[in-house]
Structures are given as C-alpha cells and as structure tokens.
Amino acid sequence: MSNFLPNSLVKKLGVNPLFDTAEFIRVHEEGKRATAIRLNPLKLKECPFSTGGRVPWCENAFYLNERPVFTLDPLFHAGGYYPQDASSMFIDRIIRKLEIGSEPVYALDLCAAPGGKSTLLNSSLHPDSLLVANEIIKTRVNILQDNLTKWGNANTVVTNNDPSAFDRLPGYFDIMVVDAPCSGSGMFRKDSDAIDEWSEANVKLCSERQQRILAESIAALKTGGYLLYSTCSYSEEENEDIADWLIETGDFESIEIVIDENWGIEYTKSVGHGAHGYRFYPHKLGGEGFFITVLRKVAEQGTFNRKRIKPEKSDVPKGILDTWIVNVDEFFPFIHHDDLYIFPKKYENDLKYLQNVLYLKNAGINIGKLNRKELIPSHALALSNVLNPGFQSLELSLEEAQNYLRKENVTLDTVSSDMKGWALAKYKGMSLGWMKLLPNRINNYYPKELRIVNL
C-alpha cells in the first residue's frame, strides 16, 4: 500500500481485478502531471507552444511538452487559450457525439468556477446558444466572470446563486453540466492538501450534498434534455451511485458515449441500473482523476409561461455603438449602473426571465461607460469577439506587452503622427486592452485589478 494515499480508498479501487494498484500509486509518488491547453477557436488557430500531441477527445486541445509560466504569456491574458486538465475536456466529445451543438440550445453550467467547462461549452455549442454559468461561492464568481470575459462571447450570463434557485426555471434548459463539489480524490496529484482532507465520512457527506444539489435544481432541465454529471472523485458513492439514484427516481435514462479503447478511459456500468460511466485515471492517460456520466431526462417536465415581455424604452443614444461593434443589429443595448451592455437580441426576453429569479453578476458584454454622449470603452469590449476588427491598434513586442500587462508606462516609437484617441494594445494580433494616444504620451488603460506582478 501507499505510504501517503488513503489505504481505504486504494483498497476499494483494488477490488477491481483489472485495476493496476502499483501503477496508480507510482504516478502519485512520482507527481509528474500532464499540462494541456484548449484553444479559443475564435481567437487562436495554432497552438503557440511545443506540443506532445493533441488531446484525442477534444477539438483544439493540446498536451504541452513543458508547462510555461502562463501569467507571463500575453496570449493567455488575451483569451487565446485556457489551461485545463485534459480529463475534463471529455465534455467536448459528449457534445459532438450527441450532436448537441448542431443547433442553438439553452445551457446551464451549474457549478462553473473557475470557468474551464463554461469556456469549453462556449466553444463546443452552437454559437447562437445561450449559456448560463453559475457559481454559488461569491469569492469564486469573479474568476469565472474574468475567464468568460477573456473568451469574448456575448451569449453568456454569469450568475451567483444557490443551485435551488434554478428550480424557479422549470423546463428551461436543454443541457445541464453539473461538475459537483466532491471529496477530491482525483486531485491528489494536483493538490496534496486534498489527501489530508479525504475521509470516508467526507465521501458520504459529499454524496449527500451532490444529491441535494441535483434534487433542488434538476427541474430546470426540460424533457429530453441532457444532464452531464461529473466529479473529480474516485468513489462510487459520488459517481455511479449518484447515476443509479437519478435513474431510480424515474426521471432519467443513461446514455452511452462511444470511446476509443486506445485513449485509456475506463468504461464502467453501475451495479444498480447499469448506468454508463467514464473514469479517468492518471496512470492510464494524460490527465487527472475524473468521472462523468450522461443522462437524458425522460420524465414529463412542466415549464413556466414564457409570455413576451414588452421591451422597455432604451436610454442608449442612437448610433453610439455603430463604430465599435460588428453586426450591431443582432444585439440589444441596455444600461446598468452607468455601464452600457449588449446582449443577443434573440434572447432579450430570456434575460428578463433570468433577472426575475436569479442574481446576475454579468450578462452579455460590458461595452463601457457613457460620459455624456461619449463612450469610455471597457476592458471586456477590447477582449470581445464583437469588436470592430478595423479599430486602430498598436502591435507590441513581448517585453512591451508584458509591461503593458503590468500597467506600466508604455513608450513606443512606432506610433504614427496621425494616430490619436483610443487604440488597442495587441500582441501577435490579439487584443490585450485599451490605450489612449495623446499628443505627448500614451495612457495605459489596463485594469489595475488584473495587472500581473513582476515574476
């Protein structure tokens, strides 16, 4: 047995005669982990690092030969890619095999921070879908919003609610992703503190909490909708047993996803109802411990009256967005606390529904503040995928870009004499944020709360 892994956990896993206990212990003692990133397909077409190959179950995802210092890479801050454990990228495979992304859907990422799965959904689903990314913990919702801001899409709402709040949106979502809080055994290599915190009693508590989260939110999924339930735990009580429990309620049926046996993913069937599950072990593939199952709601689910809400008169000055964003007619603008936002016009009523029952942290893209009739552009606009591509910009070297991200003074010899006013700071063609070009200086408008430290 291992000297540091919980013996009771290792023993349970070893009951399976096909489980290689020695290899499982070895990879944890060795501690070497795979590094993977997933590209933002709307911003970056090629991997900027030396790769060890593609992640086979996710498009636009790569293993890296070495782990870079992401904090010092301007492309990371520009939203060009997201560093994510490869195991959890399997959601992309599910969406593509079930063809969920072939048409616009309503999607909910219930336990979303820090944002890996939300940004994946933003890329894998149909671009005209509506994504609600929720995080219950207030201290974690800001990082969720920051990561979705970097991703740059306008079809996203960030919420900060207890899962039970979604019970007030019955039959609303086509797909729910529930990456449930768990005992964390799959993260033992990544977080050694998780080993000290693990216990069989905690597994039981987590299983009960997972049932509560699902019981109080699952009404939000429509009949025929898909539930993607996952954990970073190895314990059956938090995985296969939860799938069995959902099937026992009579509301769900299990869905199988075809996988390649060469990937190293372990296919399981639950003892009770034969629910299909997919286990990821670090000694068998390039990723951390992970479990996921897919269920389809078969019970009849009522919904609420989606009556058309009369649009309110807009306070947004006419034409103010014309020079800033593309396809301006596809969005409706609104003002909230002196900030100007845009949101997809097709979901204008939906935003009202969400506002009525949830606390919204952010909706759409914050365009900026209105100062009389002048727009002071926001950082979110600079990183968005709706910004007018013809906007004036300045290309920075790596050193200049890093200084910009530290919010230091920017001095450039390449500024044309006829350039003035707002300009984008760019690195390798990707927007980092705003600068303002004045006759005798350049003002750096990178948000001070996001600036990087000197490493």
Side-chain angles (χ1 to χ4, degrees), residues 126-359:
H126 191 284
D128 292 331
S129 298
L130 176 63
L131 171 64
V132 177
N134 179 70
E135 174 56 43
I136 183 175
I137 302 172
K138 285 187 177 181
T139 54
R140 285 166 57 84
V141 75
N142 287 335
I143 186 64
L144 171 63
Q145 182 178 336
D146 287 345
N147 282 323
L148 284 165
T149 294
K150 289 178 187 175
W151 220 244
N153 294 336
N155 63 337
T156 306
V157 178
V158 177
T159 64
N160 179 208
N161 295 267
D162 186 86
S164 60
F166 290 89
D167 190 55
R168 302 195 290 267
L169 290 168
Y172 187 71
F173 294 100
D174 300 287
I175 176 174
M176 282 179 62
V177 175
V178 181
D179 186 37
C182 67
S183 60
S185 49
M187 293 290 103
F188 281 172
R189 285 200 307 178
K190 182 178 179 181
D191 179 11
S192 58
D193 290 340
I195 300 174
D196 298 328
E197 294 169 3
W198 190 92
S199 69
E200 292 192 74
N202 192 34
V203 168
K204 184 175 184 297
L205 285 173
C206 287
S207 178
E208 292 169 352
R209 178 169 56 176
Q210 290 151 3
Q211 289 187 37
R212 180 192 71 81
I213 288 171
L214 290 165
E216 294 182 347
S217 63
I218 208 64
L221 188 64
K222 66 170 58 173
T223 302
Y226 291 98
L227 169 66
L228 279 57
Y229 172 79
S230 65
T231 75
C232 55
S233 169
Y234 297 124
S235 300
E236 286 188 16
E237 297 93 326
E238 301 176 77
N239 297 327
E240 288 89 351
D241 289 358
I242 296 292
D244 271 344
W245 171 73
L246 287 164
I247 295 171
E248 280 168 14
T249 64
D251 290 350
F252 288 90
E253 65 178 2
S254 180
I255 302 297
E256 184 175 4
I257 304 298
V258 177
I259 56 175
D260 188 321
E261 61 180 16
N262 295 317
W263 292 348
I265 300 170
E266 183 177 302
Y267 167 72
T268 68
K269 294 186 82 170
S270 66
V271 174
H273 293 277
H276 308 285
Y278 305 88
R279 284 176 167 258
F280 296 69
Y281 289 108
H283 64 286
K284 298 182 71 174
L285 46 74
E288 299 306 304
F290 185 66
F291 169 86
I292 192 163
T293 186
V294 185
L295 301 125
R296 181 164 52 203
K297 194 170 192 177
V298 293
E300 286 298 319
Q301 175 63 61
T303 188
F304 57 96
N305 182 10
R306 303 191 196 188
K307 62 180 180 181
R308 187 164 182 81
I309 300 172
K310 185 178 179 181
E312 300 174 1
K313 186 177 178 181
S314 176
D315 296 328
V316 179
K318 191 170 182 177
I320 195 165
L321 294 171
D322 292 351
T323 59
W324 295 91
I325 67 172
V326 294
N327 302 323
V328 67
D329 292 336
E330 295 180 5
F331 303 97
F332 80 92
F334 64 96
I335 296 175
H336 181 68
H337 295 327
D338 298 325
D339 285 322
L340 174 61
Y341 291 79
I342 60 166
F343 198 72
K345 190 174 287 185
K346 67 178 292 187
Y347 292 119
E348 183 172 1
N349 276 354
D350 292 281
L351 185 57
K352 300 285 196 310
Y353 303 149
L354 297 174
Q355 285 176 316
N356 286 339
V357 298
L358 301 173
Y359 171 72

Side-chain angles (χ1 to χ4, degrees), residues 16-67:
N16 180 351
L18 299 178
F19 186 79
D20 193 334
T21 301
E23 271 299 291
F24 180 75
I25 292 172
R26 184 193 64 78
V27 298
H28 283 85
E29 289 178 339
E30 187 180 76
K32 186 179 179 182
R33 295 170 47 218
T35 298
I37 65 169
R38 182 171 37 78
L39 305 187
N40 184 339
L42 295 180
K43 293 190 176 186
L44 200 56
K45 303 302 181 186
E46 295 182 359
C47 184
F49 304 107
S50 172
T51 75
R54 292 178 175 270
V55 177
W57 48 81
C58 182
E59 290 193 4
N60 302 310
F62 299 85
Y63 289 109
L64 304 187
N65 288 327
E66 294 182 358
R67 185 177 182 86

